[in-house]
């Protein structure tokens, strides 16, 4: 397995290029930049850097010859190569899922930090960081997901829920 160096001794030559201006797209870029800095101590630049992390919706990143999307909901494609990383969401939520997938590959973990103080978020501290190169395409088989009981009581769409 080939690995891609993202930072070395707290420095990086990667930059972040986020396509789209929606609130979810901006949040996804902010999350990636924040956690990358917390992990490595390095900051992803928006303007300089020899290597680029591209974030956006699939249609905005079509020039990168992405693999076909997986059938399902809220999908994303993650491509990690020596000179570029592409996180392409099939929709804004899929983009955010793709960013969290990339962060998990960097060692981050989010279990239930707000529900259980003994189970906090895990953010590794390593000034030299590498990730495995490859291509992944993911999608959920479920279009609707209920994540909180109040959602079940107030926002359930019975027709969609019954089919799942």
């Amino acid at each position: 397995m080939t690995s891609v160096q993202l930072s070395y001794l707290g420095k990086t030559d990667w930059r972040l290029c986020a396509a789209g201006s929606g609130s979810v797209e901006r949040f996804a870029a902010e999350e990636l930049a924040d956690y990358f800095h917390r992990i490595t101590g390095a900051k992803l630049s928006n303007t300089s850097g020899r290597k680029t992390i591209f974030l956006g919706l699939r249609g905005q990143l079509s020039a990168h010859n992405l693999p076909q999307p997986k059938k399902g909901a809220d999908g994303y494609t993650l491509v990690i190569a020596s000179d570029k990383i592409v996180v392409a969401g099939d929709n804004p939520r899929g983009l955010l899922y793709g960013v969290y997938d990339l962060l998990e590959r960097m060692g981050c973990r989010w279990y239930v930090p707000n529900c259980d103080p003994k189970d906090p978020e895990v953010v590794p501290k390593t000034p030299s960081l590498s990730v495995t190169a490859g291509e992944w395409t993911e999608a959920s088989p479920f279009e609707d997901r209920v994540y909180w009981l109040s959602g079940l009581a107030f926002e359930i769409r019975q027709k969609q829920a019954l089919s799942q």
Side-chain angles (χ1 to χ4, degrees), residues 81-161:
S82 61
D83 62 340
K84 73 178 179 181
I85 295 173
V86 180
V87 184
D90 295 347
N91 59 26
R93 191 181 328 192
L95 172 60
L96 188 58
Y97 289 153
V99 165
Y100 287 130
D101 183 337
L102 178 58
L103 289 169
E104 286 181 354
R105 291 170 194 276
M106 294 179 190
C108 291
R109 296 291 181 265
W110 300 270
Y111 300 106
V112 286
N114 293 330
C115 296
D116 183 356
K118 293 178 268 171
D119 196 8
E121 94 177 345
V122 175
V123 181
K125 303 281 189 239
T126 180
S128 298
L129 177 65
S130 295
V131 292
T132 302
E135 293 184 356
W136 300 269
T137 300
E138 301 294 339
S140 172
F142 300 105
E143 183 177 342
D144 294 314
R145 287 166 255 164
V146 177
Y147 62 93
W148 196 252
L149 187 56
S150 65
L152 179 63
F154 301 110
E155 300 171 339
I156 192 82
R157 289 182 268 177
Q158 186 178 21
K159 184 176 178 183
Q160 289 88 350

Side-chain angles (χ1 to χ4, degrees), residues 45-61:
S45 168
N46 290 332
T47 56
S48 63
R50 295 181 306 134
K51 303 171 184 179
T52 304
I53 301 172
F54 296 96
L55 300 182
L57 299 180
R58 179 176 284 279
Q60 298 165 322
L61 300 174

Side-chain angles (χ1 to χ4, degrees), residues 22-50:
S23 60
V24 176
E25 291 96 325
R26 283 193 313 272
F27 180 72
E30 290 167 4
E31 286 283 275
L32 179 57
D34 177 54
Y35 279 98
F36 185 85
H37 178 67
R38 289 170 60 188
I39 294 167
T40 66
K43 289 191 178 187
L44 294 170
S45 168
N46 290 332
T47 56
S48 63
R50 295 181 306 134

